Amino acid sequence: MRLDKGLCTDCGLCLVTCPVGALRDDGGTVILDLDRCVECHACFRSDRCPVGALEQDELAWPRAVRAMFSDPFGKHPSTQHMGRGTEEVKTNDVTNLVTPGTAGIAIEPGRPGVGASLRDLEKITRTLAPLGVTFAPKTPVTSLMTDPTTGALRPDILDERVLSAIVECTAPVELVPAIVRALREVAGSLDTVMSVAMFFAADRDVDPDADRDTDGLPTPAYFAGLGLEPSIWGKTNMGLGRASQGGVGR
Amino acid sequence: MTHTNHREGTPESLGQDFVVMFMPAKGYNNDAAVVGKLRRALDIYLRHRPVNAGAIKAGYLLADSPEQMKRIIAEDTPMIHAVYTTSAQVEAVLRDLKEADMGISVVVSGPVEEVARLSERAGIRRHSVEFSLGVLGRRDLLAPAHLRPLITMCGHGLISRSLAEEVLGDVRTGRSTPEEGARRLGLQCVCGIFNPERAARLIREAVAATAAAPASGDGEAR
């Protein structure tokens, strides 16, 4: 983003549109803190500036990575999808990314409403990699890795900031307790928050118990036993999808 | 993307919030028929009176007409969403989508146990579930607790805490109604997954609560 101070009247109407506080009043002067700005373009789209002083500018690498993750209109080269994530559980009935016995894991530093540096993102990927997770291929985060076996990200992007980024991986269910322990440990070293999600496929061959419901899915007690605080909220794939002959771009 | 996950609020409030998604799988079923299927899904959504609906780049009901959205839906439209306030509406949508049998993945974000019950009533067996498991790290940086149910309705994080505060202030001082405030917040959410009815209720409650006593919660220090 660019704030044209030749046009800006310091009226301050734009300030509330910025999710990360990059637009701020500095003693009566409106400034745009480019280090803090994540290039989500929410200020520009809000159309609050009465004189058109906020402009979207062409972003060079590595700053362009901010918009790729923060602006939902940004299309990732890795996924060819707009937005910062992938299909994950939403098309699991077709892709079978996660089957019984496997957990899908989505860790999102910066969310909700805080923002994150990619250096903090790398702390998470480097924590998960040695545990034996498989980073989901063709995701925006995995595409930034120089070495998925260590979780190392390309060094030229580490000083960039984003609204959030989603680390997506899969692991055998048996590894979930160790993964949660490691996440809780690395959380203490972050200068941000991270939202935690996991997804599982129904497995009607297992008997229900305290940890598994009648569809073989984890219960709140299972997650609470891991030290997590499960919400009542989640995303349920209804199993209505199927592959066709003409899918393109896999 | 997990943009409809991680909504915050009381069980009662979240029980009035459901997002339905219809999403082709790239490389598996995003064939030549997909544009027609996305438009048909939108027609099904609209029959059951959503409070919002949309698709990234194609527009959303708070700002655009359904006709306009249908015109813009294209092969690269990743998915189409609609937001409902009751489980009965979602059950009816699922019945229609099941009957339409388009072979495209359908996902419902909402309270997991309620969604399990309504899918069973619709004759659908759940395939997989993604659970929202909380927030780790520097919780002191979070927005105050009374704002988070509002700002987490945009999973891309485009609704700032400052805008939510401004809206609450405007409603508190009578400069706008809760419904107008909810719409202002919802316009920031370009996917059309923001629930303006629930938001208006939350705004009304937050204003009433702060009239009685200052709100408290994580993130007050920021």
Side-chain angles (χ1 to χ4, degrees):
Chain A
M1 285 302 306
R2 186 171 167 270
L3 175 61
D4 185 340
K5 288 306 292 182
L7 292 174
C8 175
T9 60
D10 296 317
C11 68
L13 283 173
C14 61
L15 299 181
V16 298
T17 63
C18 182
V20 293
L23 280 164
R24 62 173 188 266
D25 185 331
D26 186 19
T29 301
V30 172
I31 61 164
L32 171 60
D33 179 344
L34 284 175
D35 184 49
R36 196 82 201 159
C37 171
V38 291
E39 303 288 353
C40 68
H41 306 137
C43 56
F44 179 76
R45 274 193 302 274
S46 74
D47 214 17
R48 294 259 295 204
C49 179
V51 295
L54 286 161
E55 299 166 354
Q56 257 181 280
D57 50 359
E58 198 70 29
L59 299 173
W61 190 266
R63 191 168 178 90
V65 80
R66 298 187 183 221
M68 285 182 193
F69 280 88
S70 306
D71 183 344
F73 290 104
K75 193 180 250 188
H76 276 266
S78 58
T79 60
Q80 289 303 306
H81 272 311
M82 286 167 276
R84 69 201 65 156
T86 58
E87 296 175 10
E88 33 86 22
V89 75
K90 293 194 288 296
T91 57
N92 195 44
D93 51 345
V94 178
T95 63
N96 285 305
L97 176 68
V98 163
T99 51
T102 306
I105 298 153
I107 309 301
E108 192 168 353
R111 183 173 175 183
V114 173
S117 73
L118 295 185
R119 210 169 283 283
D120 271 347
L121 173 70
E122 192 192 42
K123 287 180 188 169
I124 298 167
T125 54
R126 282 186 179 275
T127 297
L128 291 172
L131 299 176
V133 306
T134 304
F135 291 108
K138 290 192 174 181
T139 69
V141 168
T142 308
S143 73
L144 294 178
M145 290 183 187
T146 53
D147 182 358
T149 64
T150 64
L153 303 184
R154 45 185 296 173
D156 58 341
I157 50 96
L158 294 178
D159 289 329
E160 302 302 325
R161 292 188 63 81
V162 296
L163 256 181
S164 70
I166 310 170
V167 183
E168 294 178 58
C169 57
T170 56
V173 168
E174 297 73 34
L175 286 183
V176 168
I179 290 168
V180 172
R181 276 196 301 277
L183 287 172
R184 293 172 69 82
E185 204 171 305
V186 75
S189 72
L190 303 180
D191 191 25
T192 187
V193 291
M194 58 178 167
S195 290
V196 178
M198 292 189 195
F199 73 100
F200 301 81
D203 182 2
R204 295 180 178 88
D205 290 334
V206 301
D207 293 325
D209 58 20
D211 287 343
R212 298 277 163 179
D213 69 14
T214 52
D215 287 336
L217 289 159
T219 60
Y222 168 76
F223 294 117
L226 297 174
L228 293 168
E229 293 177 18
S231 162
I232 64 167
W233 190 268
K235 286 161 63 176
T236 303
N237 181 312
M238 295 295 165
L240 299 180
R242 58 181 176 270
S244 71
Q245 297 302 312
V248 290
R250 192 186 305 184
Chain B
M1 65 194 86
T2 61
H3 65 326
T4 63
N5 211 351
H6 302 309
R7 292 196 174 194
E8 293 191 27
T10 63
E12 186 195 2
S13 178
L14 291 173
Q16 298 160 348
D17 199 4
F18 301 86
V19 186
V20 182
M21 284 159 277
F22 181 87
M23 185 174 201
K26 193 174 279 292
Y28 291 88
N29 58 21
N30 58 334
D31 54 32
V34 79
V35 173
K37 290 177 179 179
L38 288 161
R39 288 179 180 145
R40 194 168 166 203
L42 178 58
D43 280 334
I44 290 172
Y45 287 164
L46 294 171
R47 276 210 296 270
H48 300 285
R49 295 182 294 110
V51 291
N52 200 356
I56 191 76
K57 269 195 173 168
Y60 52 119
L61 278 188
L62 291 185
D64 305 294
S65 71
E67 293 71 29
Q68 194 176 344
M69 286 165 57
K70 269 193 221 169
R71 266 200 310 277
I72 302 172
I73 286 171
E75 280 173 14
D76 68 345
T77 299
M79 75 183 102
I80 186 156
H81 331 79
V83 185
Y84 298 93
T85 55
T86 71
S87 57
Q89 286 173 298
V90 180
E91 183 186 331
V93 171
L94 289 182
R95 284 182 193 279
D96 285 359
L97 287 171
K98 186 182 174 204
E99 193 184 320
D101 192 25
M102 292 185 272
I104 300 295
S105 300
V106 174
V107 175
V108 178
S109 283
V112 173
E113 289 184 12
E114 181 56 28
V115 173
R117 286 189 287 271
L118 73 88
S119 59
E120 197 176 334
R121 291 197 298 270
I124 289 172
R125 301 184 88 184
R126 300 181 295 169
H127 181 278
S128 26
V129 177
E130 181 171 276
F131 299 88
S132 174
L133 298 172
V135 177
L136 302 178
R138 289 204 50 194
R139 292 184 61 92
D140 59 304
L141 298 179
L142 291 173
H146 69 287
L147 299 181
R148 293 206 300 274
L150 289 167
I151 67 173
T152 56
M153 278 196 270
C154 173
H156 284 119
L158 298 175
I159 300 175
S160 75
R161 62 186 74 183
S162 311
L163 184 62
E165 285 281 23
E166 183 179 272
V167 162
L168 291 180
D170 284 352
V171 173
R172 200 175 291 125
T173 54
R175 281 195 293 271
S176 69
T177 65
E179 287 72 21
E180 288 165 347
R183 185 167 187 277
R184 273 180 65 201
L185 295 176
L187 286 172
Q188 294 294 104
C189 172
V190 291
C191 294
I193 58 170
F194 186 86
N195 183 331
E197 269 195 30
R198 177 177 172 234
R201 217 170 284 127
L202 287 165
I203 291 168
R204 200 171 282 114
E205 288 166 8
V207 167
T210 49
S216 63
D218 288 328
E220 286 291 299
R222 191 173 201 190

